[in-house]
Amino acid sequence: DTGVSQDPRHKITKRGQNVTFRCDPISEHNRLYWYRQTLGQGPEFLTYFQNEAQLEKSRLLSDRFSAERPKGSFSTLEIQRTEQGDSAMYLCASSPVVGAYEQYFGPGTRLTVT
Amino acid sequence: LAKTTQPISMDSYEGQEVNITCSHNNIATNDYITWYQQFPSQGPRFIIQGYKTKVTNEVASLFIPADRKSSTLSLPRVSLSDTAVYYCRDNYGQNFVFGPGTRLSVLP
């Protein structure tokens, strides 16, 4: 297994467009997390899944954001009607249920909204 | 609101031991303490975790006192490649919060 992968690595979009990011976790991991990180800040938690169930969402996740993990494997994060303030690195991480304190992060998707 | 507090930045020289201390003022009984390392344009990388006393792996040591209100990450004999941001965290419920981290600069 090569770890957590994310696609695309970079995305440039115009304000008002919709974007979708994909995350493929480590195959045997049940939990999948999404974070957002802006320059000079630590990652901010957005949401997480255990298998296909979305168990928690941060108040940072406005109604323009939606995340899915339909079969308990890969996950998508969609941002509708993007705003310049959405420009950030979007990070995905996964972990097994046991030992969930240790999270494995992907390389991130850098979103630039122009 | 970050639950942990750590220095914003630290400088060190190659070959020195570096200790980064984090305050965990709101740590809960069941929380574990974890530390991550992050290089620019990469996701954080797990370094070490512990509950109390001392934990050591091939990368670092983690010291946690009995009251668990703080933790110290110890990096032995740092090199230039250890220049990165280091995050401490403890798990509060299911919200996995990161603070701003400590930016470690290792100088030649």
Side-chain angles (χ1 to χ4, degrees):
Chain A
D1 191 281
T2 57
V4 178
S5 61
Q6 293 186 244
D7 183 69
R9 294 292 308 277
H10 303 275
K11 179 70 177 180
I12 300 174
T13 190
K14 293 183 178 179
R15 189 176 56 186
Q17 298 295 305
N18 299 342
V19 294
T20 300
F21 309 141
R22 176 179 170 124
C23 171
D24 286 88
I26 294 172
S27 57
E28 62 268 26
H29 285 182
N30 302 98
R31 288 189 173 177
L32 186 148
Y33 313 81
W34 285 100
Y35 293 83
R36 180 176 68 187
Q37 185 173 29
T38 54
L39 196 63
Q41 302 298 315
E44 298 173 298
F45 169 80
L46 293 178
T47 188
Y48 91 98
F49 294 84
Q50 182 161 315
N51 300 314
E52 64 274 12
Q54 188 173 17
L55 296 187
E56 187 149 353
K57 293 190 291 186
S58 164
R59 57 183 170 80
L60 294 174
L61 210 66
S62 75
D63 56 5
R64 297 186 297 106
F65 288 71
S66 63
E68 295 183 342
R69 194 182 184 197
K71 298 181 180 180
S73 56
F74 73 91
S75 175
T76 58
L77 177 69
E78 181 182 17
I79 309 174
Q80 296 182 328
R81 306 181 302 282
T82 53
E83 301 172 356
Q84 287 188 322
D86 297 331
S87 295
M89 177 77 85
Y90 289 83
L91 294 163
C92 176
S94 70
S95 70
V97 175
V98 176
Y101 307 103
E102 181 176 344
Q103 297 178 352
Y104 296 84
F105 283 80
T109 294
R110 181 166 297 283
L111 173 66
T112 302
V113 182
T114 62
Chain B
L1 182 64
K3 292 182 65 223
T4 58
T5 306
Q6 56 184 121
I8 294 299
S9 65
M10 293 180 68
D11 290 339
S12 181
Y13 290 96
E14 279 191 292
Q16 289 188 332
E17 178 184 74
V18 171
N19 295 312
I20 306 174
T21 297
C22 175
S23 297
H24 303 270
N25 292 322
N26 297 310
I27 193 167
T29 303
N30 295 329
D31 286 345
Y32 270 68
I33 292 170
T34 55
W35 283 81
Y36 289 78
Q37 174 192 56
Q38 187 176 28
F39 298 113
S41 300
Q42 295 185 22
R45 182 176 75 99
F46 170 83
I47 302 175
I48 197 166
Q49 74 174 16
Y51 186 80
K52 60 181 178 181
T53 64
K54 178 183 175 181
V55 179
T56 298
N57 62 21
E58 64 279 5
V59 177
S61 295
L62 179 60
F63 301 91
I64 303 171
D67 66 3
R68 301 196 337 114
K69 294 296 186 182
S70 66
S71 67
T72 299
L73 175 73
S74 181
L75 304 172
R77 298 179 300 280
V78 294
S79 65
L80 295 176
S81 62
D82 292 316
T83 293
V85 179
Y86 292 82
Y87 299 97
C88 62
R89 61 191 306 200
D90 52 59
N91 292 347
Y92 179 70
Q94 297 297 335
N95 273 343
F96 298 97
V97 178
F98 283 91
T102 296
R103 186 172 301 278
L104 173 66
S105 297
V106 180
L107 308 173

